[in-house]
Amino acid sequence: MSSSISAAGRGGHDADALWGGDALPYAVPSKKLGMWLFIVSDAITFSAVIFAYGYLRLASSAWPRPFETPSIVNATVMTFVLLSSSVAMVLAVRASALGKVSGAVGWLVATALGGVIFDVLHIREWLGLIGEGVRPFHNPWGTPMFGAAFFTMTGLHMLHVTIGVVYLLIIAVGFRRRKFSALDVEVSGLYWHFVDLVWMFIFPLVYLLSAKMA
Amino acid sequence: MGKAFAVVLTIITTITVAIFVSRHWWFPEVASAHGHAMDHQFVETFVGAAIGFILAQLALAAFAWKYGERKGDTRPVRIFPGGVKWLLVLTLIYVGSEIILLEFVGQKVWAAMYFTPPASDSLQVQVLAGQFAFYFRYPGPDGKFGPIHTDKIDEASANFFGIDPSDAASKDDIVTAELAVPVNKPVELLLNSKDMDHGFYVRELRVQQDMLPGMQIPMHFTPTKIGKYDIACNQLCGLGHYNMRAFLEVMSEEDYQKWIVQQASLQ
Amino acid sequence: MENMPMEVQHHHTAPTGFIRKYIFSVDHKVIGKQYYFLAIFSVFVGMVLSWLVRIHLVWPNLHIWGLGAFSPVGAPGGVMTDAYYLSLLTVHGTLMVFFVLTTAPQAGFGNYALPIQIGAEDMAFPVLNMLSFWVTFLALCSLVATLFVKDGPPISGWTAYPPLSAVGSSAGPGLGMGQNLWAVSIALFCVGSLLGALNFIVTTVDLRCKGMTLMRMPLTCWAWLITAILSLLSFAVLFAACVLLILDRNAGTSFFLPSGLLVSGQLQNHSGGSPLLWQHLFWFFGHPEVYIAIVPGFGVISHVLSVFSRKPVLGYKLVVGCLLSIGFLSFTVWGHHMFLSGMSPYSGFLFSVPTLIITIPATIISLVWLGTVYGGRLRFTTSMMFALGFVSVFVTGGLGGMFLAQPSLDIFLHGTYFVVGHFHMVMGVAAIFGMFAGTYFWYPKMFGRVLNERLGKIHFWITFVGVYCIFMPMHFIGLEGMPRRYSGFVEDSMQHLMPVHTFMTIAALITGATQFIFFFNLFWSMYKGAKATENPWESTTLEWTVPSPPPFDNFGGKVPVVYHDAYEYGDLKNGKDYVMQTDPVGQPANS
């Protein structure tokens, strides 16, 4: 049984070396495992909210479908922005692993920028809907729960995006100052991809399912 | 210490089982068709549980009595014969058979109440719960209920069901503060709530069902004993929850007819 | 920096200064004690509340000294109103379930002992650990605050079913600010629990020392790990539910509120929601929650029974398997709280199947305990007495569940004192006995002193008899259909049961008073108790290889290596009937 940490950390075929203590199983550092666990938990919170949405929508006979082409286009652009920001994140992680500090910081800022653009487009959309009379307790088209579900789900997601932007900028600054490591960049990337993934559910379930049929 | 524990535990076990078996505190007398089957299922479950209870507690007592370490004790420890194998087998047999018995054989009562539709000639009565009273509505000769308009509910004018006088179906509806039904005839209750979650609980009839606002929940049973029974609210609904009740009167057919005619005249 | 070696453990220097040492400490031992004392405070308040409500049931017109001054609205002239009964009941339940049973067994003992038991210097994320505690503390403040707002705590019970909890103060007292503070408290508690759960899992996976395979961990560590997984998954749902409730109450949404609600003569504006949705979300959390409350106790009891029987646990792997299957099954049974809720009766049948199946691993574990004690050389320390008592009360309480698991019987028993007796037996007694067993067991290590055994035995005996006297009769009056959450009993059919209530109240007061012996022992022994040795119980696990109390980094800079399973007790060899896990000499470990 190898006694050096890094050798055992490479996770040999020996079960003891993998799980026998004094080793990181599958060489997953603690911070990364911790972030994965957080993501699992947060995913369940989002799932619960989406479950509530589905439960109430299925029970409702008057769920409006108000999103016309401009809204869907806007949401599609938002999706594209978020996906692109995830690509930037991948490049940031890669650069950090290769030791390219300025490259990594640049890509991190680009990712955060993507998040900001997403937020701006989103808030513009919200303001538009509010202008049309949509509230958490009322809208001009159908059951009042439409607004409640819409603002709750997208609001919860937007909160995560905004927190992510701040998080990424902190990592960028810290990485540049050599306070944070490539691992920290990678861990923040996990969070960002998770936020993107959640949007991949919200986009079809909230927007496409409420697109105005001709 | 171990011996004292054994003695105390044995006493507790004996007293507990004795009280249950004595039926000193027990279900009230059954007044509905499905009630006997329910009580029977309880007894079946109790026998199984009591066997497990007695065996487990007395085993624990026996081991505490027997295996205390004495001063200078060098007695070797004894592993349970066969290790865990027999415990596993015992569990799977005992619990497994309990599960099969209770789950599948014992579903009859649940199925009778909820998987089978009410008899087609059931007496239908609507029940409306609200903080902190129950009201009942009979459909009258047309056999139809008018709609409940919560915005028209007015306690002051005794319009408990929010009846719109212009609804044709409501014209002959009979609203009462007491639930009366004829004996040995199937009854279907349609449970509604106007504000909170409430509960409809009649012990002797072995019926209980939560009443949720936004849903009309059907429930059917056949009362088999004439008498006056408490209907208790059994879902926490506010500060008056403990005092929210009505009466269910099971009457003979003649008495029931007299009653319903009298109630109709009071509308 | 770019290719930073992957550290398994971080080493921190000893903290200096009062604040860093005792208040904002990152030391898992301090944090564990902080959680423990938070639970002690909560159980004290929760116990007092239980006295108040039980007194009200039996002597409703009694002027309770001090209560009128504390809450002129809730108890004018010292006489409790019906609404205040429900308020105090709500705080009692919330305090006990969350701030006692979901803190001390897991975050209290687990934080203290897990790292040492697996050979680590601290938890994986010490700062996060500290944050978890202070978030939980904030949550407690928010809950306690409900006792001090004008309208008092909410009257909707610890389960907070809407519409009662969602429509606001028009539905009753305490449902305005009180309910908001309650929801905030629970939401904060969720966050604290989630962060703590994350820490426990990463610590157990990553920070075990060399030789400490998963199968060599003490069963306490398995229990804490499984509980942490349950917490991670279930509190996430409760958090969502609380957010939706807060929105319904304050943002005009209607997740849980249907249209047409007429509350106190006012037609509500809400529309489109479902009270059943709350119940699904709440109980999807709520059932794993009760296993979160008891599984640490399973771990402690398995551990303590082995130590004081001088025998290995009868089936270590089997116990691990049972804990895992109980954890898994706990997510499939939530509907058994909702048999009569109005959800489809077919789901009633579906939920009762796994509910009955969960009896299997629970029975196996109980039999393993019996089998562990069988043939041992039992040492009747106070910790052992509570462990034996745990087996007894858990069997009793668990068997009550067999009745409630069947929807047919639940038709009669739902909402009666049968349910109250059942859950108090398993949670209010068994889980608490687990905490007592753990306290009497780890106290020497935690405080470097020994609890007085004589006081401990008195505490045990009166408590053991007392809890049967309080909670067994609840099953009996439940059979008579005595409803729960009633602030008074006005039905003629219930009057003949009042003497039983009086008996239970008196038993509760006596048993409650006895707990002061424990509180006294707890605090007095910290200063005046006999000094503890390193391994007073002759126990094999790692925490007994370090001084009592341990140094700030647990092992004094030395990294332990493990060679043996956790429960090598048995026959005497060279005058010793146990082999320390760290003993390099001795029987080779079975792989």
Side-chain angles (χ1 to χ4, degrees), chain C residues 161 175 236 305 307 430 543 578:
Chain C
Y161 278 13
L175 297 173
L305 285 177
V307 172
E543 75 268 36
Y578 64 104

Side-chain angles (χ1 to χ4, degrees), chain A residues 112-126:
Chain A
L113 195 62
V116 170
I117 295 175
F118 177 90
D119 271 351
V120 167
L121 290 173
H122 212 1
I123 301 224
R124 244 190 72 224
E125 181 204 21
W126 270 35

